[in-house]
Amino acid sequence: MSNRELVVLGTASQAPTRSRNHNGYLLRWDGTGFLFDPGEGVQRQMIHAGVSAHDIDRICISHFHGDHCLGVPGVVQRLSLDRLRRPVHAHYPASGAGFFRNLRYASAFDEVVDLQERPIEWEGTIATGPFGRLEAVRLDHRIETFGYRLVEPDSRRMVPERLAELGVRGAAIGKLQQEHTLRLDGGRMVTLEEVSVPRPGQRFGFVMDTRLCDGVFTVADGADLLVIESTFLDEDARLADEYRHLTAAQAARVAAECGVRCLVLTHFSQRYSDPQRFHDEAAAVFDGTVVVAEDLQRVQVPRRR
């Protein structure tokens, strides 16, 4: 059974609060773990959330403001401390390569893990694997910032009743899936389309610090689960634009226009004390599922349509 869930490690913007840690989000996508924007204190949050270094396969940094990257030293050193024997890939804006190196080697430690840096210079696909493809999309913030989009390819789901009717069983099923056609003993040719139905791939989007731009809509397009900053409420839309951030209403508008199924709001300004206001503002625009993220919360990727 697939295991696809978001583990929220932190939800504060700029500065942590008593109830909100700096950013941090672990996406479990079947057998692959993506750690997005590990801010200060994220290693301890991982312990509270039951997340280990062995859950991390890729580290994805949207940009190099401190609340999105100051947890890198602890995470990197923990990977080595726990003797992780497989490579871990680190994706980040190429313009911040100096920052990443300083974070990676912030103090002395025995480097054991094979951390493979993958600086992002252009938009597009930056990794492929059993998870599908990971894409980077340029956003509009005060420094170079990328959003991330995970896209699972479309496939087909076999229908047992149709297979049984035609007598296709055992190894013949795998052969049909691989070759798309199969000749039965009686000479009849069976096609994959006859015994299967389309299985749309799932999508995940991650949007951090940015104001509205084309890239936000690109990341969100068709997302089953969208994690998106909503630093401000709409009453402070002028401030949001000035500092190049989003409001809850803007995030909800993106979700509504892009066919998002589950909207996860996060990266909240400490000026607001009532999280319900973010939910109410978003729900007035978007009629899908709205989650106002809390530290250590788990959010399941919605089941396939």
Side-chain angles (χ1 to χ4, degrees), residues 227-272:
V227 179
I228 186 168
E229 70 119 311
S230 58
T231 309
F232 294 96
L233 292 172
D234 213 40
E235 65 191 38
D236 294 312
R238 183 188 59 79
L239 279 177
D241 186 67
E242 180 181 348
Y243 290 104
R244 300 194 182 189
H245 282 291
L246 297 174
T247 69
Q250 289 173 329
R253 172 194 156 194
V254 170
E257 293 186 14
C258 293
V260 169
R261 297 177 65 199
C262 179
L263 172 67
V264 179
L265 303 176
T266 187
H267 195 270
F268 306 111
S269 169
Q270 58 187 312
R271 71 179 60 235
Y272 308 108

Side-chain angles (χ1 to χ4, degrees), residues 106-148:
S107 66
F109 71 105
D110 293 329
E111 188 170 27
V112 174
V113 68
D114 178 14
L115 184 63
Q116 299 185 4
E117 297 183 31
R118 298 287 185 261
I120 304 168
E121 297 185 4
W122 300 283
E123 293 183 302
T125 300
I126 58 175
T128 58
F131 51 82
R133 67 180 186 272
L134 179 65
E135 301 173 350
V137 179
R138 193 175 299 278
L139 301 176
D140 183 5
H141 194 42
R142 290 175 291 163
I143 61 174
E144 187 175 42
T145 303
F146 286 96
Y148 292 94

Side-chain angles (χ1 to χ4, degrees), residues 13-14 50-51 54 68 83 105 108 113 120 131 146 162 168 177 179 221 226 243 271 299:
S13 69
Q14 193 173 41
V51 172
H54 292 272
H68 298 264
R83 303 271 170 189
Y105 297 111
V113 68
I120 304 168
F131 51 82
F146 286 96
R162 297 183 189 177
V168 181
Q177 288 176 308
E179 300 180 4
D221 185 37
L226 174 66
Y243 290 104
R271 71 179 60 235
V299 182

Side-chain angles (χ1 to χ4, degrees), residues 8-13 15-25 40-41 44-45 48 265-276 278 292-297:
V8 180
L9 301 171
T11 57
S13 69
T17 70
R18 291 183 178 182
S19 60
R20 296 188 183 277
N21 197 75
H22 262 176
N23 286 281
Y25 312 87
E40 180 184 351
R44 192 163 186 271
Q45 293 292 92
H48 285 303
L265 303 176
T266 187
H267 195 270
F268 306 111
S269 169
Q270 58 187 312
R271 71 179 60 235
Y272 308 108
S273 59
D274 182 7
Q276 183 65 36
F278 287 88
V292 178
E294 295 287 344
D295 287 22
L296 308 182
Q297 184 178 11

Side-chain angles (χ1 to χ4, degrees), residues 170-181:
I173 297 175
K175 183 177 181 181
L176 178 57
Q177 288 176 308
Q178 184 176 6
E179 300 180 4
H180 292 191
T181 59

Side-chain angles (χ1 to χ4, degrees), residues 123 137-139 147 207 212-220:
E123 293 183 302
V137 179
R138 193 175 299 278
L139 301 176
V207 174
L212 277 181
C213 63
D214 290 344
V216 175
F217 292 90
T218 298
V219 173

